[in-house]
Amino acid sequence: MCGMSQQSSTNSEAPLGAGVGKRIHAWVLDRFGDRYERLVSDRKRALLGGLRGEILEIGPGTGPNLGYYADGCRWVGVEPNPFMDRYLYESARKAGLNVEIRRGTAEELPAPDASIDAVVSTLVLCSVRDPERVLREIARVLKPGGEFVFIEHVAAPGGTRLRRIQRMIRPLWKVIGDGCCPDRETARAIQAAGFAQVELEEFGLPLGPVSPQIAGRAVR
C-alpha cells in the first residue's frame, strides 16, 4: 500500500519529563485495541478504503487505521502524544504505508487552508478540548468537496440510565482515558458544524459506558 514504508516526523521526539499518563495511554491502546478493531473493521473498510489523495488523520494513536487505506494515498497524522510514534511507525511498516507525523492538536491543525482531500477521526472527538473549534479546523483544511470521515463513541440518549452512568464516571474516565468524555454529544456537534452534507449512522457495541457509537462522513 502506497509503496514501501517511509516515515518522517516533525518534532516527534518525546520531551524530557513528558507525562507518564500519555506513555501508559499509548501502551494500553497498543495492547488492548484489538477487540474494538474487530467490532468496527467492516465499517472502517467501507469508510476508509475509498479515500484518495491527501489524507490527514487527527489523533491516529497507534495507527489502527493505516491498514485500511488504498494505494496512492499520502497520509499525514497529527498526533499530540509523542509516545504513540513508535507504535505508529510499526503499524506503517506492516501496512507498507508512507507516513508523516506532525506534532500538534486538532484545535490548530498544522495544514494550510483547503489543502486536504479527507480528514479522518476515529475515537478522537471525545477527548479534544474544544470539539466545535476542531470541526471548524477540519472544515478549514478540507478542499471544497473534501470529506470528513469519522467513527466516534457518543453520549447515550438524555434521561437514560446509561447517560446517568456516563455523567457519573466522567471525571475518572477523563483521567484514565487521556481526556476522554464518555457523554459528549458529538453527533449533534457534527450536524451543527456547517458541512454541506452529513451522512451519519448510529449503532451500538458491547462496550459498556462507550457503547453508543456513530459513523459516517461529512462533505465540505
Side-chain angles (χ1 to χ4, degrees):
M1 298 177 64
C2 297
M4 294 299 292
S5 175
Q6 300 176 359
Q7 298 92 28
S8 62
S9 177
T10 302
N11 298 325
S12 63
E13 292 299 319
L16 293 175
V20 173
K22 291 187 178 296
R23 186 189 298 271
I24 293 173
H25 187 57
W27 182 85
V28 169
L29 286 182
D30 182 63
R31 293 298 187 277
F32 301 106
D34 287 349
R35 183 188 179 209
Y36 184 78
E37 291 307 310
R38 289 193 296 270
L39 292 170
V40 298
S41 59
D42 289 344
R43 285 183 171 87
K44 284 192 174 184
R45 195 170 294 112
L47 287 168
L48 304 181
L51 299 179
R52 298 292 186 274
E54 303 278 332
I55 299 172
L56 186 150
E57 185 169 342
I58 61 174
T62 59
N65 296 336
L66 296 182
Y68 294 98
Y69 295 115
D71 294 345
C73 64
R74 179 176 180 273
W75 184 93
V76 174
V78 178
E79 175 54 61
N81 186 346
F83 297 109
M84 297 291 186
D85 289 5
R86 69 186 184 95
Y87 302 111
L88 271 170
Y89 289 154
E90 177 60 18
S91 296
R93 184 191 65 78
K94 291 177 180 177
L97 185 70
N98 297 316
V99 303
E100 177 186 350
I101 302 172
R102 296 178 186 173
R103 195 66 65 231
T105 68
E107 286 87 356
E108 193 170 349
L109 292 174
D113 295 356
S115 62
I116 302 296
D117 294 290
V119 174
V120 174
S121 170
T122 59
L123 302 183
V124 174
L125 295 180
C126 57
S127 60
V128 298
R129 294 187 303 276
D130 187 341
E132 286 76 19
R133 181 175 175 182
V134 170
L135 290 166
R136 290 195 298 270
E137 275 291 277
I138 289 170
R140 177 185 67 79
V141 303
L142 280 172
K143 298 175 181 177
E147 292 186 327
F148 169 45
V149 175
F150 53 88
I151 301 177
E152 301 283 347
H153 71 79
V154 296
T160 62
R161 179 173 179 269
L162 181 55
R163 181 64 171 267
R164 292 193 295 271
I165 291 172
Q166 290 177 329
R167 184 170 61 250
M168 180 178 64
I169 67 172
R170 184 202 307 153
L172 177 60
W173 197 271
K174 288 180 70 173
V175 173
I176 64 177
D178 200 17
C180 175
C181 296
D183 59 344
R184 182 163 284 175
E185 296 188 357
T186 299
R188 180 180 298 179
I190 293 172
Q191 291 168 328
F195 289 101
Q197 179 183 353
V198 177
E199 300 174 3
L200 187 148
E201 171 199 10
E202 298 179 343
F203 62 101
L205 296 177
L207 295 173
V210 292
S211 57
Q213 306 260 325
I214 59 171
R217 63 182 79 240
V219 179
R220 181 183 184 277

